[in-house]
Amino acid sequence: MDVRSRRSTTVNKTGPAEPIKPLKASAHEGPKASDALPLPLYITNAVFFTLFFSVLYFLLTRWREKIRTSTPLHVVTFSEISAIVALVASFIYLLGFFGIDFVQSLILRPNTDVWAADDDEEEEAILIKDDSRKVPCGAGLECPIPQIAPQVVPSPKAVVVAPKVVDPVPVPTPATTEEDEEIIKAVMAGTTPSYSLESKLGDCHRAAAIRREALQRLTGKSLSGLPLEGFDYESILGQCCEMPVGYVQIPVGIAGPLFLDGREYSVPMATTEGCLVASTNRGCKAILLSGGASSVLLKDGMTRAPVVRFNTARRAAELKFFLEEPANFETLAMVFNRVQNVLDFLQNDFPDMDVIGVSGNFCSDKKPAAVNWIEGRGKSVVCEATIKGDVVRKVLKTTVEALVELNMLKNLTGSAMAGALGGFNAHASNIVSAVYIATGQDPAQNVESSHCITMMEPVNDGKDLHVSVTMPSIEVGTVGGGTQLASQAACLNLLGVKGANREAPGSNSRKLATIVAGAVLAGELSLMSALAAGQLVNSHMKYNRSNKDVTTTTTATVASS
């Protein structure tokens, strides 16, 4: 029941409830000192500011004149005495108005943050809570409304009706023990490093809670909206995230079924962008009704380009020629597969080689680069489908001709004019990012993994549409990192690619790469259709805009008799 629909009443021990007159301001608010001023506060401040600087300038000018004429400074006129009095008076006013308030804000004023609200407890007589349903969702219409017994106000104090809360109120940080309090103070003082809490305490959840509380006190900012409970902090120790203070919730939606290579997949997508899952889901439907999509893996191999230095260019060239010899390359491959340091092995034959860094950026990890767009990195995948003309018209609400023309002018011509690097697509990174976050991939590798060129052309005498996406550098894995976390592992399990495939090592990651490309194909197909049919704005207004009115807050403040 909405608080606004109730009639505000005051409970009286001796009589029936009486209506309460609404107050214009808080019940605790009294007369202000500024109300006694003859002029508005901002005019009074301006007068004193002007007076202070005017008399100060006058006195400095007079004293400078006395020094120039050798007149004693203690000899003053009536005007100078008046100026001194005005200077002292204006200074006292400005000090009282600004200085004392500043000192109180630093030293004397109590903390007003969310965890220091103990002073408010004595001022609140009763907190009237909103009705809460105790029945399953949807059963409320069949159940009687519970009767609420009247509550008696023990003393004539203000009664505050709390605002109606739609979303669950975050659970406050539990009271700390004496031992935890000492650790919090040590972290705040810097005597105990925050990063060492897990190893010192041996309890990852407790370490996160202590670090969180110390952070709140140091910054004076509340983290009440950031969840702490319900997460396995042991699972991220030493592999995913350091110095945790909570976790971020991202909704996961399902697009599909995606019919790819003769199998159906329900694709998990973690995103906060409305319309994205719905759009990808529509593309999956169009693919399914047209017989499905197929994919081919062109290349599979991760690159890393160390940077080394020699005294001469000739010597550096000798290393290059050495690595290009097939026999030497096979030897180095054996060394690498045994997890040995290849650079250390090479220094046996090239002792004058100076290793500057394990990465020289020619591998271009997490950066857009032409080398990955041309030669590929990770998995290079092509995914294609032929969409029937009837499906284009009935499901995608457009035509084959419109899609082909839009793709040529937007994804090909427009991107070329912009100087795009691997960006010859509508929104491949949207789908890649959503699937990556859901399945525990490195989100930063979305940069090169979203390299994609989308092609569309009419087939079967122009009746049907052939659409394909070529993605040369999809970087995914199913072992290690975020893939071992419970939520991400569940999404991988939904796709049937969780962990390592013992029978065919690497096959799970290769399959995941084709699923990513298939989801991109569906997303490209749907968005391009929305653009061609003029549906984009309407769909975003429907799915990507909140109808919740966040500008109004239902509050009421009443006083007991």
Side-chain angles (χ1 to χ4, degrees), residues 134-299:
K134 303 297 183 181
V135 296
C137 179
L141 297 177
E142 302 175 1
C143 298
I145 300 177
Q147 299 296 324
I148 303 177
Q151 301 186 19
V152 179
V153 181
S155 60
K157 295 183 179 180
V159 179
V160 179
V161 180
K164 180 180 178 181
V165 179
V166 178
D167 298 327
V169 178
V171 180
T173 304
T176 58
T177 64
E178 184 176 350
E179 181 182 359
D180 287 352
E181 190 68 28
E182 293 180 359
I183 300 174
I184 291 172
K185 293 179 179 178
V187 173
M188 295 176 64
T191 56
T192 298
S194 177
Y195 62 81
S196 66
L197 289 176
E198 280 79 6
S199 59
K200 289 182 178 296
L201 299 178
D203 185 338
C204 292
H205 182 276
R206 182 185 174 198
I210 290 175
R211 181 182 297 112
R212 177 193 183 104
E213 182 63 23
L215 179 64
Q216 291 185 130
R217 297 185 188 181
L218 283 171
T219 62
K221 305 296 183 182
S222 172
L223 293 177
S224 60
L226 184 69
L228 175 67
E229 306 296 332
F231 188 80
D232 182 12
Y233 293 95
E234 302 281 349
S235 63
I236 65 174
L237 182 62
Q239 68 173 7
C240 287
C241 179
E242 298 76 40
M243 296 185 286
V245 294
Y247 59 96
V248 174
Q249 297 170 312
I250 302 179
V252 177
I254 295 297
L258 172 65
F259 192 46
L260 176 67
D261 296 329
R263 292 186 56 182
E264 291 186 358
Y265 299 95
S266 296
V267 183
M269 301 175 66
T271 181
T272 56
E273 180 181 351
C275 202
L276 179 60
V277 178
S279 177
T280 307
N281 188 69
R282 183 175 76 150
C284 291
K285 179 180 180 181
I287 293 173
L288 177 65
L289 294 177
S290 299
S294 60
S295 66
V296 56
L297 186 76
L298 301 176
K299 188 186 297 184

Side-chain angles (χ1 to χ4, degrees), residues 462-481:
K463 298 179 181 179
D464 301 330
L465 174 73
H466 182 270
V467 55
S468 68
V469 291
T470 302
M471 306 180 68
S473 50
I474 300 179
E475 299 162 346
V476 292
T478 60
V479 178

Side-chain angles (χ1 to χ4, degrees), residues 300-319:
D300 182 11
M302 184 58 69
T303 62
R304 180 61 70 188
V307 54
V308 299
R309 179 172 56 195
F310 289 90
N311 291 330
T312 64
R314 178 180 292 276
R315 188 63 172 154
E318 290 178 2
L319 173 62

Side-chain angles (χ1 to χ4, degrees), residues 355-375:
V355 179
I356 304 300
V358 70
S359 176
N361 265 16
F362 184 68
C363 48
S364 297
D365 183 38
K366 304 173 186 176
K367 292 169 284 292
V371 64
N372 293 334
W373 172 238
I374 297 171
E375 297 187 2

Side-chain angles (χ1 to χ4, degrees), residues 51 55-56 58-59 76-90:
L51 179 64
V55 298
L56 181 62
F58 171 75
L59 290 174
V76 292
T77 63
F78 178 75
S79 61
E80 292 173 345
I81 294 176
S82 301
I84 294 174
V85 173
L87 178 68
V88 173
S90 59

Side-chain angles (χ1 to χ4, degrees), residues 20 44 53 107 197 284 319 325 327 331 340 344 370 378 380 406 419 436 452 469 536 542:
I20 300 300
T44 305
F53 288 106
I107 302 175
L197 289 176
C284 291
L319 173 62
E325 286 289 335
T331 302
Q340 289 181 242
D344 288 345
S380 299
L406 177 63
Y436 271 28
C452 172
V469 291
L536 183 63
K542 180 179 180 180

Side-chain angles (χ1 to χ4, degrees), residues 6 19 22 50 118 134 180 278 288 306 316 332 347 355 436-437 452 492 517 540:
R6 301 173 181 165
T50 304
D118 295 338
K134 303 297 183 181
D180 287 352
L288 177 65
L332 292 176
Q347 283 186 320
V355 179
Y436 271 28
I437 295 173
C452 172
L492 289 172
H540 273 274

